[in-house]
Amino acid sequence: MDALAMIQAYTGIGIGLIIGLGAAGACIGIGIMCASFLEGAARQPEMIPQLQGKVFLLLGLIDASFIIGVGLAMMFAFANPLLSVVAK
Amino acid sequence: MTQNSSLVTSTAAVFSKMLRLQLIATAIVVIVSLLISGMHAGLSALLGGLAVIIGAFFGSKIAQRNNKNATAVLMNLLKAEAVKVILIFVLLLIVFKVYKQLVPFALIVGLAAAALVSGAAMSKLDKTDIEI
């Protein structure tokens, strides 16, 4: 198998791992946080409006790693820097 | 002002603080990229940061909907997050497809700065809680 095909094949596997593991981690984190939010809301319903903003900010933080992963995956999909080695 | 409306105001203040911090972080990255790598790097960093800021803006509009039921609040927050992620994905896809002279590393740095700095608005949230 030539170098170009090898790089493209392994890049495809890498993109899948970046997106898949990132999504799995984000989903586990969001699940734990939502469970904690529901537990807190059940204990003290008057705290729901105060928790709302905090939960959204933490959702953003949990998803930040996934969003960065998506950006990196798109970079490897559309502008793969590893292919420049073959082009020379 | 009732307690409920003041809490809604504080949530809106937190979201506006979050968007302001993201804009500042993006601006810093754009200036650094412009100075280091030139026009296209600066524009790429700006596009990366703007993708996150636009997603966060529309997400925060959905998240601000006021509900007293915990399940409804949670559903709104999850909808907001889904809208945010889908918007960011679509905007990044458009940028990568359309902008031919893109500098990918600058875009990633702008994206990461805007995504990570949103959590810094937690400090503002604590202050508004105390003020109320």
Side-chain angles (χ1 to χ4, degrees), chain B residues 14-129:
Chain B
V14 168
F15 288 145
S16 70
K17 176 76 177 177
M18 177 189 77
L19 292 170
R20 213 176 313 141
L21 285 173
Q22 286 180 323
L23 277 172
I24 291 167
T26 305
I28 291 168
V29 174
V30 167
I31 291 166
V32 171
S33 303
L34 263 174
L35 293 176
I36 292 174
S37 299
M39 183 70 188
H40 289 298
L43 198 55
S44 301
L46 179 68
L47 290 170
L50 276 183
V52 175
I53 291 168
I54 291 169
F57 174 75
F58 285 105
S60 67
K61 288 289 169 204
I62 296 170
Q64 278 178 41
R65 287 178 192 164
N66 194 21
N67 282 306
K68 286 171 186 161
N69 183 3
T71 313
V73 169
L74 197 57
M75 287 309 294
N76 269 342
L77 289 170
L78 291 176
K79 272 183 214 164
E81 199 57 30
V83 166
K84 182 179 154 184
V85 170
I86 290 168
L87 256 178
I88 292 171
F89 181 81
V90 170
L91 289 172
L92 285 179
L93 196 64
I94 290 168
V95 169
F96 271 101
K97 280 281 184 190
V98 172
Y99 189 24
K100 295 295 174 196
Q101 279 147 346
L102 183 78
V103 181
F105 288 111
L107 182 131
I108 299 293
V109 173
L111 182 88
L116 289 173
V117 89
S118 64
M122 288 289 281
S123 59
K124 173 74 179 177
L125 189 66
D126 290 337
K127 280 178 194 163
T128 50
D129 283 352

